[in-house]
Amino acid sequence: MLETIINITLTAGKILLDGYTTPIKVDFKNTIDLVTEYDKKIELYLIGELKKNFPDKKIVSEEYNTDAGYDDRGSFFIDPIDGTTNFVHRFPFCSVSVGYISKDKRCGVVYNPILDELFFAETGKGAFCNRTEIRVSSENELINSLIATGFPYSIVDTDKRFLLDMLDAVLKNTRGIRRAGSASLDLCYVAKGVFDGYYESSLKPWDVAAGIVILEEAGGKVSGRFGDVFDLWSDFIVATNGHIQDKLLKVLNG
């Protein structure tokens, strides 16, 4: 299964790369949330290939949301371009993300074709970047940690002041923050040991499903905002190397 998903994702990445180097048509979902013809083109390709290879599995996707909810017999969560704004502005931090979750098996594949970084993992078999095994960092001091974050599109339309308060607190207690604009890649970079932690609110299951599998297989930890068990519909994600999890949670919650 994993190799099939990898091959499908690699081909989808070629479509993304084609769009990255050619003029594209851009539409708006709301004030600043973008969608392009390539989001739709890649998603339709992924849906078609996954249905052909795994006809009995549900598919939950960003643009077409073909199957609502989750089936513990197996569901795919796909994001055709995680980091669409980056894609539109030619900032090379965007990816194709495909996660598979069932009661007894999980797979995650995240591919950034611009930087040619392929992340993947399967339950109990470790996490990899371009076929080399990766592990989270060993940093256990928050003040020495580099943290990634993101902001929801809704921050423009609604009062999200608590996120700015969190940002201020994290800046004062860590080495620094990076806001690169792709949740799946943020999780993969924690898995790779580039970032020591990551937090964000208002994400969707397709944003994080694959990245969570990769991070946890690399030795990382994921929870909700208050240390609660994270599920794919949780409103807030906190993901770290595990060593700074409690310390980051404490700062985030004041």
Side-chain angles (χ1 to χ4, degrees):
M1 171 180 269
L2 179 60
E3 286 300 325
T4 300
I5 299 170
I6 287 172
N7 290 332
I8 291 170
T9 306
L10 286 171
T11 301
K14 293 178 181 178
I15 304 173
L16 188 157
L17 191 59
D18 177 62
Y20 190 80
T21 56
T22 58
I24 55 175
K25 182 178 181 294
V26 180
D27 294 315
F28 289 83
K29 295 181 183 179
N30 55 36
T31 308
I32 61 172
D33 193 0
L34 307 177
V35 63
T36 74
E37 60 192 297
Y38 277 87
D39 290 271
K40 297 173 182 178
K41 184 183 294 187
I42 294 168
E43 186 162 314
L44 288 173
Y45 167 77
L46 290 171
I47 290 170
E49 289 299 306
L50 291 172
K51 282 190 175 295
K52 182 170 70 176
N53 285 276
F54 310 101
D56 59 330
K57 308 301 183 186
K58 297 185 74 171
I59 298 176
V60 181
S61 59
E62 180 171 14
E63 307 303 334
Y64 295 99
N65 199 25
T66 54
D67 293 310
Y70 161 70
D71 186 335
D72 63 11
R73 293 172 297 179
S75 296
F76 285 98
F77 298 87
I78 60 175
D79 194 342
I81 304 179
D82 185 26
T84 298
T85 301
N86 292 344
F87 175 75
V88 169
H89 287 270
R90 304 298 191 259
F91 179 62
F93 204 73
C94 45
S95 65
V96 180
S97 178
V98 180
Y100 173 77
I101 310 290
S102 73
K103 185 169 63 176
D104 54 6
K105 185 182 182 70
R106 303 189 309 162
C107 298
V109 181
V110 176
Y111 181 45
N112 179 349
I114 304 148
L115 301 180
D116 194 25
E117 288 185 319
L118 173 69
F119 296 91
F120 61 89
E122 182 178 356
T123 307
K125 296 186 178 180
F128 298 83
C129 178
N130 294 343
R131 307 287 174 177
T132 299
E133 190 165 9
I134 56 176
R135 294 291 296 177
V136 295
S137 74
S138 59
E139 183 56 58
N140 58 20
E141 295 296 334
L142 192 60
I143 195 65
N144 297 327
S145 298
L146 185 63
I147 306 299
T149 192
F151 293 104
Y153 291 115
S154 61
I155 199 170
V156 174
D157 301 314
T158 60
D159 185 1
K160 298 284 185 180
R161 199 160 305 168
F162 77 95
L163 292 176
L164 300 179
D165 292 338
M166 282 184 177
L167 184 68
D168 179 64
V170 174
L171 281 169
K172 291 175 179 175
N173 287 277
T174 64
R175 179 165 286 166
I177 291 180
R178 298 293 179 266
R179 198 281 195 195
S182 170
S184 61
L185 287 173
D186 284 333
L187 288 163
C188 289
Y189 274 45
V190 178
K192 194 179 179 183
V194 176
F195 298 140
D196 304 293
Y198 160 71
Y199 72 94
E200 190 166 351
S201 72
S202 304
L203 294 171
K204 302 296 184 183
W206 49 79
D207 294 316
V208 297
I212 286 172
V213 177
I214 294 164
L215 173 60
E216 291 186 338
E217 284 297 314
K221 186 174 181 179
V222 178
S223 78
R225 177 181 172 184
F226 302 105
D228 47 306
V229 174
F230 182 85
D231 69 54
L232 292 176
W233 283 266
S234 294
D235 184 62
F236 203 102
I237 185 171
V238 182
T240 72
N241 59 10
H243 308 297
I244 64 165
Q245 186 80 13
D246 293 341
K247 296 174 184 178
L248 181 57
L249 285 167
K250 185 177 179 180
V251 168
L252 290 173
N253 291 294

